[in-house]
Amino acid sequence: MDFLGTILWPLKWVVELLLVSWHWLLTFFGMDSAAGITWVLSIVGLVLVVRTALIPLFVKQIKNQRRMMEVAPQLKKIQDKYKGKRDQLSREAMSRETMALYKNTGTNPLGSCLPLLVQMPIFFSLFSVLNGAQNSKAGVGPLNATLAKEFGEARLFGGAPLHSSFQSAMNDPAGPQVLVMIIAAIMVVVMTASQFITQLQIVSKNMSDETKASPMFKQQRILLYILPFVFLFSGFAFPLGVMFYWLTTNIWTMVQQFIIIRNMPMPGSEAAREREARLARKGKLEPKSDAATIVVEERKPVQRQQPMGKNRAKKAGGTPQQPGGTAQQPKKNDDGSGASNNTPRK
């Protein structure tokens, strides 16, 4: 029994339903059912629907990353507190304080990974359906044998089969298929560029100054140049139909990342400073709270008033002061008047 296939069966059925629905809609508006462009646009529509449905997960991932950034200073204090202590009691105490911090702040360290784990089966189902259809294999649902054969035999520009790849076109016994090789090469370049731009946006604009000073930033810089090569080399083995799926996904991710960084940047990053500058120019920047000013005023030391002697007080027209800074008040008589005791009574 295929355990993975059993788990992915519902997802593959939904993917096939979306693919066939887009294909039916395009043919309803007059496009050729067997044309390669019809199936390519069906793939694009399929990816757009799936990625739109995953937006809530992506937003949840961004919010969890923000919370993790907020608790990072407190987490570092705990780590510094137990730095160098490797005994069992210290490790348990560090673990308890860390879990208490996550609980009190409502933060989940795996929250950033869970959306990705949810997306992986969906993307694998997409890849499986498209890869099988290109080989004219019927799916588990609406993608029947007739549609699968039509998909597998579809051609772009009259001479580039969707099931062909750069590698297969180059090693074709009938001779190299130049059109397939040109289309595949262009798509690989665009896929690699979009992946690089997506990572560059994060590394250059959406990281705080503290993060850029950490060793993690060096790892991000390395990944910036390594990840695009995954598409650069593996893309030549992908069939054209699957490459259109990856290309649409990459472009969606790049645009989505740009919008998120522009409107919800990481606090303390260059993108956050640029957003504040834009809002300030438009007069939409919210005024900062006066709490900090109030605290400063409350902490401002009170200047001690120097005591004033009798002669100086007479010249100033005031009352002599005691060394504590308070004025010497005239003594009151028994009747409560403010007259001096030396004043003769009537």
Side-chain angles (χ1 to χ4, degrees), residues 25 44 81 87 89 123 140 147 161 188 191 205 264 270 273 299 311 332-333 339:
L25 183 64
V44 173
K81 179 180 177 181
D87 58 284
L89 293 177
F123 293 150
V140 298
L147 290 174
V188 167
M191 288 165 60
K205 288 184 174 295
M264 298 174 57
E270 180 182 347
R273 291 189 288 269
R299 293 180 179 178
N311 296 333
K332 296 183 180 181
N333 293 327

Side-chain angles (χ1 to χ4, degrees), residues 16-329:
E16 291 180 14
L17 176 63
L18 292 173
L19 180 65
V20 173
S21 297
W22 276 101
H23 181 262
W24 175 86
L25 183 64
L26 293 171
T27 54
F28 177 79
F29 283 102
M31 297 190 69
D32 185 4
S33 175
I37 188 62
T38 305
W39 284 105
V40 167
L41 293 178
S42 300
I43 295 171
V44 173
L46 165 66
V47 174
L48 294 180
V49 171
V50 171
R51 293 306 300 265
T52 301
L54 292 175
I55 286 178
L57 285 176
F58 184 79
V59 173
K60 184 177 180 180
Q61 181 181 4
I62 294 296
K63 290 181 177 180
N64 190 78
Q65 289 175 350
R66 298 289 190 273
R67 287 195 294 267
M68 287 298 297
M69 288 293 295
E70 292 174 358
V71 303
Q74 303 176 53
L75 186 61
K76 189 176 185 303
K77 289 181 180 179
I78 297 176
Q79 294 171 348
D80 293 341
K81 179 180 177 181
Y82 295 97
K83 186 177 182 180
K85 299 179 181 180
R86 299 184 179 180
D87 58 284
Q88 184 67 22
L89 293 177
S90 297
R91 289 199 298 267
E92 291 178 356
M94 178 179 174
S95 178
R96 284 196 303 270
E97 293 186 23
T98 302
M99 296 307 296
L101 174 64
Y102 288 146
K103 182 178 180 181
N104 295 335
T105 57
T107 306
N108 183 2
L110 299 178
S112 300
C113 302
L114 288 176
L116 181 62
L117 294 177
V118 173
Q119 295 176 38
M120 287 179 63
I122 299 175
F123 293 150
F124 188 81
S125 299
L126 283 167
F127 181 86
S128 178
V129 169
L130 294 178
N131 196 45
Q134 288 173 144
N135 295 320
S136 301
K137 295 180 179 179
V140 298
L143 189 65
N144 54 37
T146 302
L147 290 174
K149 182 179 180 181
E150 192 177 89
F151 186 100
E153 296 176 353
R155 294 172 177 269
L156 274 177
F157 308 114
L162 290 181
H163 65 268
S164 297
S165 64
F166 186 96
Q167 185 176 1
S168 64
M170 185 174 58
N171 299 324
D172 195 326
Q177 300 180 26
V178 179
L179 182 59
V180 174
M181 295 171 64
I182 292 175
I183 296 174
I186 293 174
M187 293 180 66
V188 167
V189 171
V190 177
M191 288 165 60
T192 304
S194 61
Q195 179 70 27
F196 179 79
I197 293 173
T198 301
Q199 294 297 321
L200 182 63
Q201 288 181 130
I202 300 174
V203 173
S204 63
K205 288 184 174 295
N206 205 38
M207 285 190 175
S208 62
D209 297 334
E210 292 80 6
T211 305
K212 289 184 178 181
S214 66
M216 185 182 69
F217 179 71
K218 296 181 180 179
Q219 299 175 3
Q220 291 285 346
R221 295 287 297 184
I222 295 174
L223 292 176
L224 172 65
Y225 297 99
I226 291 179
L227 287 179
F229 280 95
V230 174
F231 291 101
L232 185 61
F233 292 106
S234 61
F236 288 101
F238 286 159
L240 293 182
V242 175
M243 288 181 68
F244 275 108
Y245 151 70
W246 279 114
L247 179 61
T248 308
T249 299
N250 280 8
I251 293 177
W252 175 283
T253 303
M254 180 180 67
V255 175
Q256 181 177 256
Q257 194 70 52
F258 173 80
I259 295 174
I260 291 294
I261 292 176
R262 180 178 176 84
N263 297 287
M264 298 174 57
M266 189 71 70
S269 63
E270 180 182 347
R273 291 189 288 269
E274 291 178 356
R275 182 174 182 271
E276 291 180 357
R278 289 195 305 270
L279 293 176
R281 287 194 298 267
K282 296 178 180 179
K284 297 181 180 180
L285 186 63
E286 296 180 0
K288 295 184 179 180
S289 174
D290 294 332
T293 306
I294 295 174
V295 171
V296 172
E297 291 178 356
E298 289 178 353
R299 293 180 179 178
K300 184 178 180 180
V302 179
Q303 295 182 355
R304 183 179 178 182
Q305 188 174 1
Q306 297 296 328
M308 187 179 295
K310 294 181 179 181
N311 296 333
R312 186 179 175 187
K314 289 180 180 180
K315 292 180 180 181
T319 308
Q321 293 180 340
Q322 295 295 334
T326 58
Q328 182 179 5
Q329 300 295 332

